[in-house]
Amino acid sequence: MTTFGAEESFRVERAAPDVQLWKVRSLALRLVLPLALPTGILALWWAASVNGWVSPQVLPQPDWVLQTFLDLLESGDIAAAAAVSFRRIAEGFLIGASLGFLFGLLIGKSETADAYLGPTFRALAAVPSIGWLPILILLLGIEESLKIVILAKACFVPMAISTAEGARTVPKGLTEVADILKLRARTRFFKLTLPSMVPFIASGIRLSLSQAFVSLIVVEMLAGTDGLGYMMVWGRTLFQLDIVIIGMVVVGVVGFLLDWLLKQAESFVRRGSGADA
Amino acid sequence: MTALAIEHVSKSYALNGVQRPVLNDISFDVAPNEIVSIVGASGCGKSTLLRLIVGLDEDYRGSIIQGGVSDTKAAKVGMVFQDHRLYPWLTVGANVDLAFDASNLRKPERLARVHHYLQLVGLSDYEKAYPKQLSGGMAQRAAIARALAQEPDILLMDEPFGALDSILRMRLQDELLSIWEKNRVSIVIVTHDVEEALYLGNRVIVMEPDPGRIRDVFEIELARPRDRADPRLAALKQRCLATLVGREALS
Ligand SMILES: Nc1ncnc2c1ncn2[C@@H]1O[C@H](COP(=O)(O)OP(=O)(O)OP(=O)(O)O)[C@@H](O)[C@H]1O
Ligand SMILES: [Mg+2]
């Protein structure tokens, strides 16, 4: 009995550090590795500006930039710009994604509709949102409506494509069950079509929002008077490159977080809908 | 009067652009309240035949006529598939409740019936569970509950008990028979298990493949409840197996 007990504790002792080491390692892999490249860039930047490899007017020192960032944060300029940008994304998304959903449902469910509308849609969708800018500026000016239309278009396309894909891939076996049980159209939609489309809708939403974010920054840079994108342009015209850099970092970080959050939400939805089971 | 009349039904599928016959000149009738078992080698077209009967596939030659309950009301045909086909995003209870969607039953009545049919297949405790939380056999039982809940006039079953262990299989066979005795329902059941076919059926149709056709029909004129150990069943089993295997021995 005693030998047995001793053996047990011996084994546990041996196993524990291994497991911990492995955990520490995987944590290191997940946290440290992604940060290695940004740290390297930061170091290079520091070296370049301190040693005067690049003129400080073009590349200000990192600590100046940090100071400007704190100033802008305190004055609320960044928050105000971000708020404007996010309101636009929200509006463009609501309009574009809901229209995209309906349109995707139409061409996904009806082969006739797809035959009529599908090719035109796909051709127009191939033109990037920014490609629409010149003609839309002529039509709409550089008012708010321009940004909303561009964003709505940016959301519409991925949402429509994902939704159509989802509507086409309702499992055949389950559709046959619906036929045999003679489900009413309403039940069929809410208990078969829609739930089976959930994973597709989730990735549609994620793609729309990432598209919208990218397009928004560009539109604000090209035809804006406020927002995060404009903040960068404004910094450049003032030769305040620190503001431009802050804009880039803020946009990059926000975009990254947005995508990460949406990915989490998407995989959560996928798990919940039983699509992977 | 017949519940189901199948006359000279032939069916072929296109395989790589060539029409390949799958069913060849199938004819048989199902009387009201009769149980017809179909046995046959894998791939001889049993599932295909059921799909034609239930109306999922209308591309065939010959005729399939369902005798309506009355002149005005068409027969209701239910089906249990080889795979359970539960909706993964609905609970077991909600899956069974789908069977009442076409009816005008009120909510409390529907709920009571869902309970009833789940109890019948021994899944009372799993009403709130999701299909992925069930074992294969339990999911199949839930699918059977869903088909029964529809209270069909003709029930088609495609190897419904294939995934179950032998004890449960026998219990459900007896459940099926007691349901069948209570409701006037005609049953066509496809199975790989000759004993099951003989125990349940008023008639056993033996099919052979390439192309799928009827080789022989056995009338089982034994009174119910039948004794599984009845020597007459054993003798029939021998004949049935000889018919099934005989063809394979030849080819
Ligand atoms: N959708 C289809 N397209 C082409 N061929 C098909 C299709 N469905 C079935 N077949 C063919 O029809 C034949 C009969 O298939 P079926 O599923 O009816 O057989 P089965 O008797 O039910 O077999 P099992 O006992 O294995 O379930 C098979 O050879 C199969 O390859
Ligand atoms: Mg089959």
Side-chain angles (χ1 to χ4, degrees), chain A residues 171-185 187-188 190-193 195-196 270-275 277, chain B residues 51 54 56 75 77-79 81 84-90 94-95 97-104 110 132 146-147 150:
Chain A
K172 189 155 169 287
L174 301 187
T175 310
E176 289 180 352
V177 170
D179 290 342
I180 290 173
L181 295 178
K182 304 215 160 42
L183 296 188
R184 300 170 211 220
T187 317
R188 200 183 263 262
F190 284 107
K191 297 206 168 154
L192 175 60
T193 313
S196 74
R270 269 176 198 271
R271 254 176 284 138
S273 74
Chain B
R51 292 173 59 81
V54 81
L56 287 175
V77 186
M79 175 140 176
F81 289 91
H84 60 74
R85 301 198 180 182
L86 298 173
Y87 288 13
W89 40 80
L90 297 181
N95 265 290
D97 185 67
L98 288 178
F100 308 121
D101 189 61
S103 73
N104 293 320
R110 287 164 74 141
K132 66 179 161 194
R146 181 174 64 187
Q150 210 188 343

Side-chain angles (χ1 to χ4, degrees), chain B residues 1-38:
Chain B
M1 160 139 181
T2 55
L4 186 63
I6 293 162
E7 281 159 20
H8 306 294
V9 166
S10 298
K11 161 88 189 165
S12 54
Y13 277 121
L15 198 72
N16 303 327
V18 185
Q19 289 290 318
R20 211 174 58 89
V22 174
L23 291 174
N24 186 21
D25 197 23
I26 306 279
S27 299
F28 66 92
D29 287 349
V30 181
N33 215 27
E34 187 187 22
I35 303 181
V36 172
S37 311
I38 301 179

Side-chain angles (χ1 to χ4, degrees), chain A residues 172, chain B residues 13-15 20-23 40-49 51 57 82 158-159 190 192 207 210:
Chain A
K172 189 155 169 287
Chain B
Y13 277 121
L15 198 72
R20 211 174 58 89
V22 174
L23 291 174
S42 179
C44 71
K46 306 179 297 291
S47 297
T48 306
L49 180 60
R51 292 173 59 81
D57 190 342
Q82 221 165 336
D158 196 351
E159 295 181 40
V190 165
H192 273 143
M207 287 180 65
D210 301 310

Side-chain angles (χ1 to χ4, degrees), chain B residues 13-245:
Chain B
Y13 277 121
L15 198 72
N16 303 327
V18 185
Q19 289 290 318
R20 211 174 58 89
V22 174
L23 291 174
N24 186 21
D25 197 23
I26 306 279
S27 299
F28 66 92
D29 287 349
V30 181
N33 215 27
E34 187 187 22
I35 303 181
V36 172
S37 311
I38 301 179
V39 291
S42 179
C44 71
K46 306 179 297 291
S47 297
T48 306
L49 180 60
L50 294 194
R51 292 173 59 81
L52 298 185
I53 297 174
V54 81
L56 287 175
D57 190 342
E58 286 169 352
D59 175 26
Y60 60 89
R61 276 181 295 126
S63 74
I64 297 175
I65 298 162
Q66 297 158 4
V69 187
S70 65
D71 292 340
T72 49
K73 201 162 151 267
K76 210 191 287 175
V77 186
M79 175 140 176
V80 180
F81 289 91
Q82 221 165 336
D83 46 345
H84 60 74
R85 301 198 180 182
L86 298 173
Y87 288 13
W89 40 80
L90 297 181
T91 61
V92 170
N95 265 290
V96 175
D97 185 67
L98 288 178
F100 308 121
D101 189 61
S103 73
N104 293 320
L105 293 175
R106 299 292 212 78
K107 194 97 199 194
E109 174 64 16
R110 287 164 74 141
L111 219 58
R113 291 201 187 188
V114 169
H115 285 312
H116 171 74
Y117 284 103
L118 281 178
Q119 196 185 10
L120 214 56
V121 296
L123 288 177
S124 307
D125 296 342
Y126 291 88
E127 190 176 336
K128 296 267 178 312
Y130 284 88
K132 66 179 161 194
Q133 295 169 306
L134 305 183
S135 72
M138 288 157 82
Q140 193 61 14
R141 278 185 278 156
I144 293 171
R146 181 174 64 187
L148 290 175
Q150 210 188 343
E151 304 197 329
D153 307 302
I154 302 168
L155 179 59
L156 309 176
M157 307 179 91
D158 196 351
E159 295 181 40
F161 308 137
L164 309 179
D165 67 75
S166 52
I167 310 271
L168 192 58
R169 183 184 264 251
M170 286 194 254
R171 222 193 75 209
L172 280 173
Q173 288 167 0
D174 290 325
E175 279 307 343
L176 183 67
L177 288 176
S178 77
I179 291 165
W180 167 77
E181 259 154 29
K182 268 182 256 147
N183 309 298
R184 279 185 64 83
V185 53
S186 312
I187 299 178
V188 178
I189 179 168
V190 165
T191 169
H192 273 143
D193 179 353
V194 174
E195 272 176 53
E196 179 171 272
L198 293 166
Y199 181 69
L200 293 176
N202 298 68
R203 246 183 317 154
V204 175
I205 295 177
V206 180
M207 287 180 65
E208 61 184 347
D210 301 310
R213 62 216 127 114
I214 295 179
R215 174 159 178 99
D216 217 338
V217 180
F218 294 86
E219 299 283 340
I220 318 297
E221 278 151 352
L222 300 177
R224 299 176 199 270
R226 292 174 182 166
D227 177 7
R228 288 177 195 273
D230 193 324
R232 283 171 297 178
L233 276 181
L236 277 165
K237 183 181 170 188
Q238 288 310 317
R239 283 178 56 204
C240 242
L241 282 175
T243 318
L244 265 172
V245 178

